[in-house]
Amino acid sequence: MYQAPRGTIDILPEEQAYWRFVEQQAASICNLYGYERIDTPVFENTKLFARGIGDGTDIVEKEMYSFKDKGDNDITLRPEGTASVCRAYIEHGMANLPQPVKLYYLTSIFRYERPQAGRLREHHQFGYEAIGDADPVIDTEVIEMAWRFFQSLGLKKLSVLINSIGCKKCRPNYLETLRKYYQKHTADLCKDCLTRLERNTLRLLDCKQPACQQFIDSAPKSVDYLCEDCGQHFNLLQKYLDTIGLPYSVNHKLVRGLDYYTRTVFEIQPEIEGGQSTIGGGGRYDNLISELEGKPTPAVGFATGIERIILNLKREGITVPPVNKPSVFVASMGDIAREAAVKLSSDLRQAGIAVVQSTGTKSLKAQLRQANNLKVQYAVIIGDEEVASQTVVLKDMTGSGQETLPLDCLIDRLED
RNA sequence: GUGGGUGUGGCCUAGUGGUUAAGGCGUCAGGUUGUGGCCCUGAAGAUCGAGGGUUCAAAUCCCUCCACUCACCCCA
């Protein structure tokens, strides 16, 4: 039997209410903050991601769905959203628009990873980017928007963590200090941390091994090594977050996995501890556009995983608006009535009334049973008698009543 | 990529070496003429994840693979 490829899922009809809800709230919050939708290709030139995300990251090294197409081009299914949006910004000369340019997307993301709770090989992200502005007001807005988005979904038990990891002026000093600090403890570090020390120093702060926690707690903090501009930026961000009353905490251990982040980084996490708990994250990436051969342009963005959101909605027992279903079932008996039912169903739909019509030669009992299972509000019944008298039986499926009315009154009656 | 757990009709579950794999939910049909929901009756639906092995005999034991799941790595 064919199965969906590992790490992919079918989103079945019974799940769709969650997806529609999340997507609608996403579009609505973007509208509220002046972000416009952009859709970029599912695949891009491999170099775009390698340059943007960072050659040394796991995503680029081992998680990308990369292949050569028949024209011998190196192609990759997008492993994140930001690089593509930046490419589009540069390609379409959006630097000439009033800045910042604010864009959002809802799209599939592909990473070849081992599937786990809240982690798939194809997953879906909602993300947004404000490109062309270095003002911490925009950082504040991006964080607030994420917060409000989750609030609008009914997810209340969340915390916002923020940190600043500096810029290309001040970060090297910090990394050097951090490295020196850790080199004194190499004998006691876990083996993953030893690799991190060589390859991704910041990640040392993110280790989950109990034995490594003591080193993290007393490690030098990035905020103590910020240059004047970065320090000022971070202070203003906190001031503005205080101004709008957004609850957050500064977390010195917060680092993010992609190389392009500068200054502000933030994550939003549910209270419940667990493996793949982070529900969304983002930050500033002031060097990415120039890295992608655009002129130097500051930017800040956020992305969240829709599967993880839905996981949280379900865990919190949050009910979502149902998707619309047909409200009328048309049942008929006999060949003549059947033809009348075909015509009637067509006319009802023409009038904008959603209809399920019965098929096959089922007994009336069976047809009504089907109507009941479909949870329609009304069943319309047509038999030979009704055809002869140009009437229909309108049966209220939510109660027990029914009435006979002239055929040409039915639409008006149903539209009430 | 590393390590643990799991895999029985569409869904949930019983069965842990021995006759035709049991039940619940769901689906479909019937309970007399054209009426659903409750109830009753019946039916369909399972090569017990796949392949190999041990055995007189395997859903049950062993191996391999696949998938799901949990943790790590990493990330949304």
Side-chain angles (χ1 to χ4, degrees):
Chain A
M1 185 166 66
Y2 288 108
Q3 291 175 301
R6 180 160 209 203
T8 67
I9 51 162
D10 297 311
I11 302 164
L12 299 172
E14 66 246 36
E15 290 290 305
Q16 292 292 338
Y18 287 100
W19 287 80
R20 293 290 88 75
F21 178 55
V22 173
E23 288 164 7
Q24 279 159 16
Q25 293 303 317
S28 155
I29 201 86
C30 286
N31 181 55
L32 189 63
Y33 283 80
Y35 286 69
E36 294 182 293
R37 178 153 178 159
I38 185 169
D39 290 284
T40 63
V42 171
F43 57 83
E44 296 269 2
N45 200 304
T46 298
K47 270 192 202 145
L48 176 71
F49 300 121
R51 287 286 293 284
I53 299 168
D55 286 327
T57 58
D58 276 21
I59 292 180
V60 172
E61 270 195 353
K62 51 189 196 193
E63 295 179 357
M64 294 206 302
Y65 274 91
S66 297
F67 58 95
K68 269 193 198 295
D69 69 11
K70 294 190 180 186
D72 210 34
N73 304 297
D74 287 313
I75 296 296
T76 295
L77 268 33
R78 72 174 143 232
E80 61 105 40
T82 302
S84 303
V85 172
C86 289
R87 193 225 76 231
Y89 174 92
I90 298 165
E91 183 172 341
H92 299 284
M94 294 188 208
N96 298 307
L97 298 171
Q99 305 294 300
V101 172
K102 301 184 187 179
L103 301 166
Y104 81 93
Y105 56 85
L106 279 157
T107 191
S108 286
I109 297 292
F110 304 87
R111 286 179 207 163
Y112 189 86
E113 297 183 279
R114 189 105 173 235
Q116 196 185 318
R119 188 171 70 191
L120 296 167
R121 288 183 175 177
E122 179 188 13
H123 75 277
H124 299 79
Q125 287 187 2
F126 159 49
Y128 50 87
E129 319 285 347
I131 304 173
D133 201 324
D135 194 325
V137 165
I138 293 292
D139 302 53
T140 309
E141 175 181 292
V142 162
I143 295 171
E144 180 191 35
M145 201 171 144
W147 179 251
R148 288 261 174 88
F149 169 62
F150 291 123
Q151 296 279 307
S152 79
L153 294 173
L155 295 173
K156 313 272 185 193
K157 299 176 186 170
L158 299 173
S159 357
V160 178
L161 309 179
I162 67 168
N163 195 13
S164 178
I165 55 172
C167 64
K168 56 184 168 188
K169 264 192 293 179
C170 53
R171 184 152 32 158
N173 298 334
Y174 171 63
L175 288 180
E176 192 47 39
T177 310
L178 188 62
R179 214 173 281 125
K180 276 182 184 150
Y181 163 81
Y182 264 99
Q183 269 157 359
K184 289 183 292 193
H185 302 290
T186 46
D188 303 308
L189 293 173
C190 71
K191 74 171 175 26
D192 285 329
C193 275
L194 289 173
T195 334
R196 291 185 182 110
L197 183 55
E198 296 305 315
R199 295 195 30 219
N200 197 342
T201 318
L202 274 182
R203 280 250 152 237
L204 284 163
L205 300 172
D206 204 30
C207 185
K208 294 187 188 81
Q209 294 296 326
C212 298
Q213 296 308 307
Q214 50 172 319
F215 304 119
I216 296 173
D217 291 338
S218 44
K221 298 168 179 170
S222 60
V223 292
D224 295 331
Y225 292 80
L226 297 179
C227 63
E228 199 182 333
D229 287 349
C230 287
Q232 173 74 347
H233 186 96
F234 193 50
N235 287 339
L236 281 171
L237 170 62
Q238 292 176 76
K239 186 177 161 195
Y240 296 149
L241 288 173
D242 291 337
T243 300
I244 60 172
L246 192 142
Y248 67 93
S249 55
V250 176
N251 187 318
H252 303 297
K253 303 183 213 172
L254 177 62
V255 295
R256 308 228 66 233
L258 284 52
D259 278 2
Y260 56 59
Y261 285 110
T262 54
R263 292 188 168 176
T264 310
V265 291
F266 68 100
E267 276 185 16
I268 297 187
Q269 298 180 354
E271 282 175 357
I272 294 144
E273 297 285 316
Q276 312 302 319
S277 62
T278 295
I279 193 169
R284 184 162 274 288
Y285 49 94
D286 291 342
N287 302 327
L288 179 57
I289 306 264
S290 59
E291 192 65 31
L292 298 176
E293 297 167 18
K295 65 180 188 186
T297 306
V300 55
F302 168 79
T304 175
I306 299 185
E307 282 85 353
R308 287 190 189 175
I309 291 174
I310 292 174
L311 226 50
N312 279 277
L313 289 175
K314 289 179 178 173
R315 185 167 54 210
E316 302 282 321
I318 292 165
T319 52
V320 299
V323 295
N324 287 336
K325 288 189 159 185
S327 55
V328 176
F329 183 89
V330 175
S332 65
M333 288 157 296
D335 291 340
I336 296 166
R338 181 181 177 80
E339 190 176 343
V342 169
K343 177 73 166 80
L344 175 63
S345 298
S346 173
D347 290 347
L348 289 174
R349 288 163 175 158
Q350 183 75 36
I353 297 165
V355 168
V356 176
Q357 57 176 332
S358 90
T359 54
T361 52
K362 297 186 184 92
S363 67
L364 183 59
K365 182 194 185 86
Q367 293 181 68
L368 287 174
R369 189 150 49 204
Q370 185 183 353
N372 189 58
N373 290 348
L374 290 168
K375 296 184 166 56
V376 294
Q377 189 177 2
Y378 294 109
V380 173
I381 303 167
I382 307 177
D384 293 344
E385 290 170 27
E386 285 74 22
V387 173
S389 59
Q390 288 294 290
T391 59
V392 292
V393 172
L394 179 64
K395 182 177 172 64
D396 180 0
M397 297 300 288
T398 59
S400 55
Q402 68 178 47
E403 59 185 308
T404 302
L405 65 166
L407 180 59
D408 44 17
C409 294
L410 181 64
I411 288 176
D412 284 344
R413 181 73 173 68
L414 288 174
E415 278 174 344
D416 288 343

